[in-house]
Amino acid sequence: MVDKREIIDDIAENGCCDFAFNTKTLKQTPVLIVVSYVKGICGFEKDGSYSTDKKEGWQMFDAGVAAQTFALAAHAQGVGTVMLGIYDAAYIQEKLGIPQTEEVAVLLAAGYEKFTPDAPTRKTAEDVLRFV
């Protein structure tokens, strides 16, 4: 039987690119979700050409939407999540046996919140969006 805690701790120590916040977060999380996608599917036509000028970037868009939807569904059940974008994808892929036909898109640490942190000040929609 695989010890999931040992795997999460190993990824925390060796798969976070020495980024202290992610290491600390993973050391505390009871659950780690690794979101990956199959390469060459989203944003590609059947002949392998790109569907849009976003090229292979479309795959990350879809993975991000999936991760956000998961996080929102978890929140609705009282489970907190943190999306981690700084990681060693090759290390995690090898550690977890993710096939080379897939790519790691994002890590989600999940668990029941011990406290609800204060939200940081955010920019307004007018600051970050342009309506035409």
Side-chain angles (χ1 to χ4, degrees), residues 5 8-10 12-13 22-30:
R5 180 74 259 158
I8 295 171
D9 287 343
D10 181 74
E13 290 293 327
N22 288 3
T23 298
K24 179 182 174 187
T25 300
L26 290 183
K27 289 275 189 181
Q28 296 176 13
T29 192

Side-chain angles (χ1 to χ4, degrees), residues 2 4 9 17-18 21 33 35 39 45 48 61 66 75 79 83 89-90 98 109 113 129-130:
V2 176
K4 294 174 187 172
D9 287 343
C17 303
D18 295 322
F21 177 83
I33 295 100
V35 178
K39 296 177 189 176
E45 297 299 319
F61 175 81
H75 178 75
V79 177
M83 290 190 197
I98 296 170
E113 298 174 348
L129 299 174
R130 185 170 65 111

Side-chain angles (χ1 to χ4, degrees), residues 16-83:
C16 287
C17 303
D18 295 322
F19 188 63
F21 177 83
N22 288 3
T23 298
K24 179 182 174 187
T25 300
L26 290 183
K27 289 275 189 181
Q28 296 176 13
T29 192
V31 177
L32 174 63
I33 295 100
V34 178
V35 178
S36 67
Y37 59 82
V38 178
K39 296 177 189 176
I41 302 292
C42 295
F44 291 85
E45 297 299 319
K46 290 182 181 183
D47 66 3
S49 64
Y50 297 121
S51 299
T52 74
D53 62 357
K54 301 291 184 225
K55 301 183 178 177
E56 67 276 350
W58 197 259
Q59 297 171 118
M60 283 296 282
F61 175 81
D62 282 354
V65 169
Q68 177 188 23
T69 301
F70 182 92
L72 290 169
H75 178 75
Q77 297 300 313
V79 177
T81 58
V82 177
M83 290 190 197

